[in-house]
């Protein structure tokens, strides 16, 4: 026996007949640990996914060996979280998290429990895990270790806490959001007692860090069942982590274009786009300002003037609060801002819309608009869809024509203007913008000679000496 480590020999009930075809690298790591007298199992999400017939995203390993003992056995390791027992073992350019059996204290703040006690007992380690479906372990020697009936919950499609749900949610409130996230990813129901505990303890989610909430919310939003956002609302979770969503759920839309509350419309719209992070978040937030922008006219009809612009602002505040990365925030906010913009269907107007919206997000605009229309009432639906089709056709035509849509595509540059004697950066910028305006009107104007002539005409009519004269 290695000093400080534990030998195989804890009695665990296992289903020996169960066989998982472990990837070669995982088997190599498990074998090396086993050969050196430690216990080692594949554990958690990977076992769950294999039992579901899905390809696991990553393979986590749990072992009786302490972190330093793991490090001693493998030439390439990274100290991922030694104090929490995690070492990443690098096996031919691929990393595998190997974590010592542990009992967790409370999860005070961030990703990790305040206090971790290593244990020689696999069952103690499995007991600290969140749900029965995530608390199974496997190795070739012992087969499947499934102390909490995870396999049968998998078969029945149930997310159920390991042990007493209230205790488990008191230890780590994030688990409540994770329960709904897994139900969205797997299409599972949440077991009754687990649900009841969420209802009474959802308030504790206010102690959880923004980063952890963001991760789970994105996983739910991009899952096969984004409609589980409804469960987040019903269980009182959004009230704590995203109260703006509750306002949407509670805002009626008395308008022939709509047949749902803003929140229900939002949920349907999320289901109408592919599970892409930017698209799903755009649909989640596209009408976020409607509760604030709602007015009712004398005939009792609701209007939501200005909601896209205001929505982009509110979405930005939410993204900041949840500590999202800048790229996601900018992409989603641009789409929220322009989701309801309907240019006249001429090349000129569409070119202008493309410049205003920003080309990078443009292809997504059409998916967003279709998802939005399909989540509305059937009133004028075909007309609206025809409009989007035609809009998209014109967009593609503009791209094929290679029309100039930015200053850098102009056939005249800032340097040309300098050579004409214009010194001020601001004036150069203004003139280039004016030229772009002209070219957007008619792409044939993007000819060097024509544009230089326009500059000369401009300078003759509006002496470029003037700004300097004004300065003095
Ligand atoms: P994914 O496929 O999304 O990675 P996963 O089940 O692997 O799903 P992770 O968040 O990677 O989820 O966690 C790995 C395992 O660690 C889980 O399967 C579970 O056993 C355990 N676990 C993770 N977070 C918690 C938590 N907050 N409380 C208890 N156990 C947890
Ligand atoms: Mg994982």
């Amino acid at each position: 026996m290695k000093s400080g480590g534990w030998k195989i020999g804890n009695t665990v009930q296992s289903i020996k007949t169960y066989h998982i075809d472990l990837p070669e690298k995982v088997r190599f790591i498990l074998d090396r640990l086993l050969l050196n007298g430690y216990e080692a199992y594949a554990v958690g999400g990977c076992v769950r996914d294999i039992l579901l017939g899905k390809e696991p995203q990553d393979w986590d390993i749990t072992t009786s060996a302490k972190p330093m003992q793991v490090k001693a056995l493998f030439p390439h390791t990274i100290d991922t979280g030694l104090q929490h027992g995690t070492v990443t073992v690098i096996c031919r350019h691929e990393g595998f998290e190997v974590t010592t059996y542990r009992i967790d204290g409370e999860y005070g703040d961030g990703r990790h429990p305040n206090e971790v006690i290593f244990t020689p007992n696999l069952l103690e380690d499995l007991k600290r895990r969140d749900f029965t479906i995530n608390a199974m372990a496997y190795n070739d020697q012992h087969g499947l270790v499934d102390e909490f009936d995870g396999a049968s919950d998998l078969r029945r499609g149930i997310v159920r806490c390991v042990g007493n749900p209230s205790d488990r949610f008191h230890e780590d409130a994030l688990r409540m959001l994770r329960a709904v996230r897994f139900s969205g990813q797997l299409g599972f129901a949440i077991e009754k007692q687990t649900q009841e505990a969420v209802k009474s303890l959802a308030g504790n989610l206010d102690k959880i860090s923004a980063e952890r909430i963001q991760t789970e919310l994105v996983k739910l939003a991009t899952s096969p069942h984004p409609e589980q956002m409804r469960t987040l609302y019903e269980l009182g979770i959004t009230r704590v982590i995203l109260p703006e969503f509750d306002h949407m759920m509670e805002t009626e839309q008395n308008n022939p274009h709509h047949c749902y509350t803003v929140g229900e419309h939002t949920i349907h719209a999320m289901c109408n786009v592919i599970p892409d992070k930017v698209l799903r978040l755009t649909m989640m937030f596209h009408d976020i300002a409607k509760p604030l922008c709602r007015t009712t006219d004398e005939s009792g009809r609701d209007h939501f003037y200005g909601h896209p612009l205001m929505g982009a602002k509110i979405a930005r505040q939410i993204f900041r609060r949840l500590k999202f990365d800048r790229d996601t925030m900018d992409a989603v906010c641009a789409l929220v801002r322009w989701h309801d913009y309907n240019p006249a269907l001429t090349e000129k107007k569409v070119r202008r819309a493309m410049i205003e919206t920003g080309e990078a997000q443009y292809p997504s605009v059409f998916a967003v608009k279709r998802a939005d229309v399909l989540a509305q009432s059937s009133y004028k639906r075909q007309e609206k869809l025809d409009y989007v089709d035609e809009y998209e056709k014109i967009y593609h035509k503009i791209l094929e024509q290679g029309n100039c849509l930015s200053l850098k595509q102009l056939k005249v540059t800032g340097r040309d203007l300098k050579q004409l004697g214009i010194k001020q950066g601001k004036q150069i910028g203004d003139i280039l913008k004016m030229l772009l305006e002209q070219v957007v009107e008619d792409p044939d104007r993007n000819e060097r000679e024509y544009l230089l002539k326009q500059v000369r005409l401009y300078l003759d009519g509006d002496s470029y000496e003037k700004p300097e004269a004004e300065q003095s």
Side-chain angles (χ1 to χ4, degrees):
M1 182 172 164
K2 301 266 162 182
S3 64
W6 298 286
K7 267 208 150 143
I8 299 175
N10 292 308
T11 39
V12 288
Q13 293 287 325
S14 59
I15 308 170
K16 288 227 170 61
T17 49
Y18 205 90
H19 180 76
I20 292 177
D21 225 353
L22 295 169
E24 200 192 315
K25 293 173 186 173
V26 175
R27 185 169 297 135
F28 166 81
I29 297 170
L30 293 180
D31 284 350
R32 178 159 288 194
L33 287 159
L34 290 164
L35 280 172
N36 282 274
Y38 304 111
E39 294 182 11
Y41 293 84
V43 71
C46 59
V47 178
R48 177 198 69 220
D49 288 347
I50 285 287
L51 262 59
L52 286 169
K54 290 199 222 167
E55 181 73 24
Q57 284 179 7
D58 42 38
W59 290 81
D60 293 330
I61 291 163
T62 185
T63 179
S64 61
K66 303 263 182 73
M68 296 316 280
Q69 296 166 328
V70 174
K71 278 163 68 86
L73 290 181
F74 299 95
H76 301 295
T77 59
I78 298 169
D79 297 350
T80 308
L82 287 189
Q83 68 280 34
H84 304 104
T86 305
V87 171
T88 299
V89 171
I90 308 292
C91 188
R92 277 180 279 134
H93 311 296
E94 199 180 342
F96 296 88
E97 287 199 354
V98 178
T99 305
T100 306
Y101 293 167
R102 64 181 212 210
I103 300 168
D104 293 347
E106 276 193 29
Y107 286 62
D109 56 338
R111 266 167 31 83
H112 300 299
N114 292 342
E115 184 195 22
V116 163
I117 304 163
F118 296 138
T119 164
N121 189 341
L122 170 66
L123 294 186
E124 289 295 328
D125 181 89
L126 295 179
K127 241 193 251 173
R128 69 154 174 108
R129 293 175 185 270
D130 45 10
F131 307 110
T132 60
I133 55 173
N134 288 345
M136 292 178 278
Y138 173 88
N139 69 17
D140 288 340
Q141 289 70 19
H142 287 79
L144 187 70
V145 180
D146 179 18
E147 187 70 11
F148 309 103
D149 267 344
S152 108
D153 282 344
L154 269 186
R155 261 191 310 277
R156 290 183 295 161
I158 290 174
V159 179
R160 181 163 59 98
C161 279
V162 171
N164 180 301
S166 297
D167 293 348
R168 310 316 313 281
F169 295 151
H170 270 299
E171 289 160 6
D172 179 13
L174 186 75
R175 290 172 186 156
M176 296 185 267
L177 177 53
R178 282 173 64 87
V180 183
R181 182 264 271 200
F182 284 112
S183 88
Q185 285 185 321
L186 304 171
F188 282 16
I190 301 172
E191 179 265 342
K192 198 101 195 94
Q193 271 182 295
T194 303
Q195 276 197 42
E196 291 306 318
V198 177
K199 277 190 198 156
S200 44
L201 295 171
N204 291 354
L205 273 157
D206 69 352
K207 298 187 196 119
I208 300 299
S209 74
E211 291 86 348
R212 294 181 85 204
I213 287 177
Q214 185 216 115
T215 303
E216 298 299 327
L217 194 62
V218 168
K219 284 188 177 180
L220 174 60
T222 54
S223 77
H225 297 279
E227 71 275 12
Q228 286 294 356
M229 288 298 298
R230 193 181 292 120
T231 307
L232 282 191
Y233 167 72
E234 286 165 356
L235 296 182
I237 293 178
T238 46
R239 187 175 54 80
V240 185
I241 65 165
L242 194 61
E244 297 86 349
F245 193 83
D246 288 37
H247 300 151
M248 291 201 289
M249 292 300 283
E250 288 148 18
T251 301
E252 300 288 336
Q253 309 193 80
N254 186 13
N255 182 304
H257 291 281
H258 286 282
C259 53
Y260 300 122
T261 61
V262 177
E264 280 298 326
H265 162 76
T266 295
I267 291 170
H268 282 83
M270 288 180 76
C271 294
N272 290 341
V273 287
I274 58 166
D276 167 82
K277 183 175 170 185
V278 167
L279 282 176
R280 285 277 171 88
L281 290 173
T282 298
M283 297 333 290
M284 189 190 286
F285 293 124
H286 77 289
D287 280 349
I288 197 84
K290 273 192 169 179
L292 289 173
C293 296
R294 181 164 173 247
T295 53
T296 307
D297 66 21
E298 32 330 321
S299 67
R301 205 165 142 163
D302 293 328
H303 302 278
F304 303 92
Y305 300 119
H307 78 275
L309 180 61
M310 171 95 94
K313 283 190 187 145
I314 295 176
R316 198 167 283 277
Q317 284 164 10
I318 295 172
F319 281 131
R320 292 224 168 94
R321 192 173 78 213
L322 292 178
K323 305 226 160 79
F324 269 84
D325 60 287
R326 203 171 185 104
D327 287 353
T328 305
M329 175 163 83
D330 288 347
V332 173
C333 291
L335 286 167
V336 170
R337 167 71 186 88
W338 296 106
H339 80 271
D340 207 23
Y341 188 53
N342 298 314
L345 293 176
T346 64
E347 289 183 32
K348 222 188 279 187
K349 297 283 187 208
V350 173
R351 272 195 295 273
R352 213 171 275 289
M354 286 165 75
I355 290 173
E356 263 180 286
T357 312
E359 249 191 293
Q361 294 319 319
Y362 227 81
S364 303
V365 163
F366 306 107
V368 169
K369 292 186 88 64
R370 288 194 180 97
D372 193 3
V373 169
L374 291 172
Q376 297 170 0
S377 70
S378 57
Y379 174 66
K380 292 197 176 173
R381 175 175 292 177
Q382 198 51 51
E383 241 174 280
K384 295 181 205 169
L385 291 174
D386 290 346
Y387 170 86
V388 181
D389 288 349
E390 187 57 29
Y391 185 1
E392 191 172 19
K393 262 191 221 151
I394 296 175
Y395 163 76
H396 284 296
K397 190 166 171 219
I398 290 168
L399 287 188
E400 274 160 32
Q401 289 169 176
N403 290 170
C404 168
L405 296 168
S406 65
L407 297 183
K408 51 179 197 295
Q409 288 169 289
L410 279 175
K411 291 278 164 64
V412 160
T413 65
R415 186 183 294 174
D416 295 324
L417 299 189
K418 270 190 198 148
Q419 278 173 2
L420 287 177
I422 307 164
K423 295 188 203 90
Q424 282 206 332
K426 179 173 178 319
Q427 199 182 10
I428 292 179
D430 287 347
I431 294 176
L432 288 174
K433 271 188 216 144
M434 175 210 52
L435 295 178
L436 182 61
E437 283 289 314
Q438 296 211 14
V439 168
V440 169
E441 285 288 312
D442 177 2
D444 289 342
R445 291 176 179 164
N446 196 16
E447 289 297 337
R448 209 177 144 70
E449 276 320 305
Y450 174 86
L451 295 177
L452 286 174
K453 196 172 135 204
Q454 295 305 305
V455 177
R456 282 191 208 101
L457 282 174
Y458 169 83
L459 292 176
D460 285 348
D462 181 15
S463 165
Y464 66 92
E465 296 293 345
K466 212 162 117 193
E468 282 187 353
E470 272 173 6
Q471 272 180 359
S472 60

